[in-house]
Amino acid sequence: MGGRILLIEDEGNILEAITFILSRAGWEVQGHGNGATALDAVRRVAPDMVVLDVMLPGRSGLDILRDLRADAATADLPILMLTARGQAKDRETALELGATGYLTKPFSNADLVATIDRLAADPAGHARGAG
């Protein structure tokens, strides 16, 4: 696959690991670690996909997701929620708000790359809930 991913993740070691994994798989990855300025980062980077943590400093990833879906410019942008929150209710909430996919930490490198590639191959979001 390939393209530009904006990774919104506040844990430096996770940000570095995911950047390495996805770069090796052919993706250009830019990181951002603050929820309060995440929307500005999305507008500035204009990514092909966003990988978004739920728990961020400054602003919840779910609030960011809600705002991205409300904006016509980002309403159809593939967004993978990547979080330690693995309860069914957390997944349901994210999908109801418009997440294209949901992957819980810890995850395998292969699962992450496969999920990203699947979401990129179907940008209309037909894979909602997968991952």
Side-chain angles (χ1 to χ4, degrees), residues 5 9 11-12 14 21 26 31-32 50 57-58 69 82 101 106-107 109:
I5 291 177
E9 167 64 61
E11 296 289 333
I14 296 173
I21 294 163
H32 189 79
V50 171
R69 290 302 180 229
L82 185 64
F107 51 84
N109 296 356

Side-chain angles (χ1 to χ4, degrees), residues 46-70:
D48 299 307
M49 181 181 303
V50 171
V51 177
L52 179 60
D53 191 5
V54 172
M55 296 177 284
L56 293 163
R59 191 143 193 251
S60 160
L62 295 175
D63 290 336
I64 295 164
L65 173 62
R66 184 180 293 113
D67 287 351
L68 289 172
R69 290 302 180 229

Side-chain angles (χ1 to χ4, degrees), residues 2-117:
R4 184 179 311 128
I5 291 177
L6 178 60
L7 172 58
I8 304 173
E9 167 64 61
D10 63 312
E11 296 289 333
N13 59 339
I14 296 173
L15 182 75
E16 187 177 329
I18 292 173
T19 298
F20 176 77
I21 294 163
L22 295 179
S23 295
R24 203 174 61 194
W27 292 92
E28 175 191 333
V29 182
Q30 293 190 26
H32 189 79
N34 188 325
T37 56
L39 291 174
D40 291 334
V42 172
R43 290 182 189 104
R44 185 180 68 254
V45 173
D48 299 307
M49 181 181 303
V50 171
V51 177
L52 179 60
D53 191 5
V54 172
M55 296 177 284
L56 293 163
R59 191 143 193 251
S60 160
L62 295 175
D63 290 336
I64 295 164
L65 173 62
R66 184 180 293 113
D67 287 351
L68 289 172
R69 290 302 180 229
D71 184 339
T74 55
D76 295 326
L77 181 66
I79 301 173
L80 172 63
M81 301 305 291
L82 185 64
T83 180
R85 300 182 66 153
Q87 299 295 320
K89 180 65 176 152
D90 296 319
R91 177 185 293 267
E92 290 168 17
T93 299
L95 295 175
E96 286 170 7
L97 290 174
T100 316
Y102 193 95
L103 194 61
T104 56
K105 302 172 191 172
F107 51 84
S108 74
N109 296 356
D111 282 347
L112 175 63
V113 171
T115 299
I116 294 279
D117 287 348

